[in-house]
Amino acid sequence: MNTKTIDQGRRRLLAAATLGVAAAQLGAERTQAAPSQGAGEFPQPLRRIKAGVLEVSYAEMGKPDAPVVILLHGWPYDIHSYVEASAELAAAGHRVIVPYLRGYGATRFLSDATVRNGQQSVFAVDAIALMDALSIRQAIFGGFDWGARTADIVAALWPERCKGLVSVSGYLIGSQEANKAPLPPQAELAWWYQFYFATNRGRAGYDRYCKDFARLIWKTASPRWAFDEAAFERSARALENPDHVNITVNNYRWRLGLAEGERQYSALEQRLAQAPVIHVPTITLEGDANGAPHPEPAAYAKKFAGPYAHRLVRGGVGHNLPQEAPRAFARAILDVAAL
């Protein structure tokens, strides 16, 4: 064993020890989150930039030369899931980028000819394109729901671009092949909307009742979150994007193998189908009242081979953890950044 190998091993052990100490110090805050109704706006107008196949609309906070954090939202939510957490991170010395995903808010495709594709890999490709457009070499990624899956993929396939990872509900990378396996009836019931979207009736229903649908998901995924009505209305506007229905339906149909992905992303999906291990420093989070389908922490712990910790956030915290428990989420980002 040479000196370089020994030094690398020592650094890994030191990073793991540091993460463990931080986890111990933050135990009380981590296990009992102060509730948030989700109110608040980003303090400045949103920005726009051409990146890959999109013109991306995004919020930015913090100094432009500060270390970068990129936060990715889920479905059917939007960038406002991160208003409070972003403010804390900016105050702590980070530049925070919060983009609308394809099919949300003011983000638009540059060409009408581009396929309105929702397969998992394209969101990570979009994230890398945004980094390139903003001349960001490396960032810490954080996310929940679709955003957590996207952050996981970036960490797995482009680790040189990902300094660290905070992923709500852990390892969410999947494959069409894995999704062929049937689940027990109770588990299948939790995915009712996936089967709904598989039908023409479901697509038409989501198109007609998109806002009502989102409200139902918010309530069932976070049954103990007393979210502010203004917060819901503000986020629901992001679903008025002209591509939202197509992206959403394609995403869930692709998962079940009912929609084909684009050939240009096949090599990425083949790599993801192998369930690649993530090596960057990671903290996974879970709310104690998450009503949405989610894996148990023990099922994915071995998918994180670098410095790693899992935190259960108590206090009736549901699926939209960054908005329901912004301090716990921001604290996890800061702890990963310290490694």
Side-chain angles (χ1 to χ4, degrees):
M1 182 179 294
N2 58 35
T3 303
K4 182 178 180 181
T5 302
I6 294 172
D7 289 343
Q8 288 175 338
R10 287 173 176 167
R11 283 196 293 270
R12 284 195 294 269
L13 288 172
L14 179 60
T18 302
L19 188 56
V21 170
Q25 291 174 338
L26 292 163
E29 178 181 353
R30 183 172 82 243
T31 56
Q32 188 67 36
S36 172
Q37 291 185 322
E41 293 272 7
F42 283 101
Q44 56 189 4
L46 299 185
R47 304 183 181 190
R48 303 175 70 93
I49 191 169
K50 293 181 179 179
V53 300
L54 301 171
E55 182 176 55
V56 178
S57 173
Y58 66 99
E60 180 170 345
M61 297 182 71
K63 295 180 180 179
D65 59 345
V68 179
V69 175
I70 297 177
L71 303 177
L72 303 172
H73 68 81
W75 170 87
Y77 306 94
D78 83 325
I79 62 173
H80 291 93
S81 292
Y82 294 109
V83 172
E84 294 180 62
S86 294
E88 292 209 16
L89 294 172
H94 290 274
R95 177 188 179 191
V96 187
I97 308 291
V98 192
Y100 277 111
L101 303 184
R102 56 169 59 196
Y104 292 81
T107 290
R108 295 290 188 273
F109 287 90
L110 296 174
S111 172
D112 291 339
T114 303
V115 177
R116 272 40 178 178
N117 181 357
Q119 70 185 100
Q120 63 177 351
S121 60
V122 298
F123 295 96
V125 171
D126 291 344
I128 295 298
L130 177 61
M131 292 181 74
D132 290 343
L134 293 172
S135 299
I136 296 171
R137 184 184 66 84
Q138 192 178 56
I140 292 173
F141 277 83
F144 73 104
D145 196 79
W146 290 19
R149 180 177 295 106
T150 302
D152 288 346
I153 293 172
V154 171
L157 299 187
W158 293 278
E160 72 281 1
R161 308 299 296 271
C162 182
K163 182 179 184 295
L165 171 67
V166 173
S167 179
V168 178
S169 296
Y171 189 91
L172 299 178
I173 298 172
S175 71
Q176 289 179 316
E177 186 62 31
N179 287 336
K180 290 180 180 179
L183 302 174
Q186 190 66 32
E188 295 282 25
L189 178 63
W191 286 105
W192 67 270
Y193 51 87
Q194 183 169 251
F195 301 108
Y196 182 68
F197 290 149
T199 68
N200 290 335
R201 177 188 176 95
R203 191 205 179 284
Y206 189 58
D207 192 15
R208 178 178 298 183
Y209 302 110
C210 188
K211 184 176 175 180
D212 294 333
F213 202 104
R215 189 189 302 276
L216 175 62
I217 296 298
W218 276 43
K219 289 182 176 180
T220 57
S222 299
R224 295 173 59 187
W225 182 33
F227 57 83
D228 186 279
E229 183 63 20
F232 172 77
E233 291 290 343
R234 181 177 56 243
S235 290
R237 290 196 293 270
L239 311 183
E240 296 171 4
N241 182 295
D243 298 307
H244 177 73
V245 173
N246 286 333
I247 294 295
T248 299
V249 171
N250 183 266
N251 176 280
Y252 286 103
R253 290 184 178 181
W254 178 86
R255 297 189 200 192
L256 294 178
L258 301 177
E260 294 292 331
E262 291 183 84
R263 183 173 299 177
Q264 67 197 77
Y265 304 114
S266 295
L268 294 179
E269 295 295 350
Q270 289 171 8
R271 293 173 64 187
L272 295 174
Q274 302 303 312
V277 172
I278 291 173
H279 294 273
V280 305
T282 299
I283 294 175
T284 58
L285 301 173
E286 191 59 81
D288 65 340
N290 186 357
H294 61 278
E296 291 297 321
Y300 55 71
K302 292 183 179 180
K303 302 307 295 184
F304 299 100
Y308 172 69
H310 176 76
R311 299 177 179 178
L312 176 66
V313 183
R314 299 185 184 277
V317 176
H319 191 58
N320 186 3
L321 189 149
Q323 194 165 3
E324 297 177 57
R327 288 185 177 179
F329 185 85
R331 187 71 258 170
I333 293 284
L334 294 175
D335 288 344
V336 165
L339 297 178

